Amino acid sequence: GYDTRDGPYPPFFRVPWDDRYPAMERVAAIGLGEGWTAPFSELRKTHVANAEAGGTPFVVFWKPGAASAVDAGRVDRGRDVGQTAAFDRRLDGRTLDFEWREGEYVDRETGSTWDLGGRAVSGPLAGRRLVPIAHGNHFWFAWSVFRPNAEVWRAS
């Protein structure tokens, strides 16, 4: 139950943090520039976040299917919190924009469909791969303390 605790602070973290989100909100976090963050509660709405930080255009894909490792006595009993992957959106000199369409990640420029691993599985770009961007899935209290000026993405 660690990641579902209520109250103003996580159990052992007794300093103020940015309160735009609950302390235990999971976030996809990218350290480019001042940092960039997408709360999982926002990513669940769209499954895709197109963004830019530190001059790098990137996309974050979110998908259900990962159990919380700190929610129950056994990981296989943890609630589904989802998983993320992040990739540079540039391919062959152009920047792709992605959307979640009928249960798939699709780039708007070519209509190719992509998997969570950043590989085009159908369409004109089938077989091509996006370059991964280093990212982490953190709790909001931890990320916001170390990256207080990070941009926070919200679904539109």
Side-chain angles (χ1 to χ4, degrees):
Y2 173 83
D3 63 351
T4 56
R5 291 182 186 258
D6 292 325
Y9 295 104
F12 56 84
F13 203 71
R14 303 271 182 230
V15 298
W17 80 94
D18 182 324
D19 64 359
R20 287 180 283 176
Y21 286 94
M24 303 308 281
E25 170 83 33
R26 279 187 164 74
V27 297
I30 294 178
L32 298 171
E34 291 287 326
W36 180 93
T37 307
F40 277 31
S41 59
E42 296 288 324
L43 287 168
R44 273 186 188 89
K45 299 172 187 175
T46 62
H47 294 258
V48 174
N50 294 291
E52 184 174 323
T56 301
F58 61 88
V59 63
V60 173
F61 294 157
W62 179 90
K63 187 174 185 178
S68 170
V70 293
D71 184 48
R74 291 178 32 180
V75 174
D76 64 344
R77 292 185 182 158
R79 66 190 171 88
D80 185 353
V81 294
Q83 56 198 316
T84 64
F87 304 96
D88 191 315
R89 293 189 290 137
R90 296 173 291 192
L91 187 66
D92 297 335
R94 65 179 160 185
T95 301
L96 301 173
D97 287 302
F98 292 87
E99 63 186 356
W100 181 250
R101 187 187 311 159
E102 298 178 18
E104 297 183 301
Y105 306 106
V106 179
D107 75 73
R108 293 179 182 129
E109 288 70 25
T110 73
S112 298
T113 59
W114 301 76
D115 65 17
L116 190 63
R119 184 176 64 92
V121 295
S122 67
L125 298 178
R128 301 296 306 275
R129 290 192 178 271
L130 299 171
V131 174
I133 296 282
H135 79 293
N137 294 326
H138 305 295
F139 288 113
W140 175 243
F141 79 88
W143 178 252
S144 66
V145 167
F146 290 102
R147 291 292 187 133
N149 297 320
E151 177 184 347
V152 176
W153 176 86
R154 288 187 172 76
S156 51

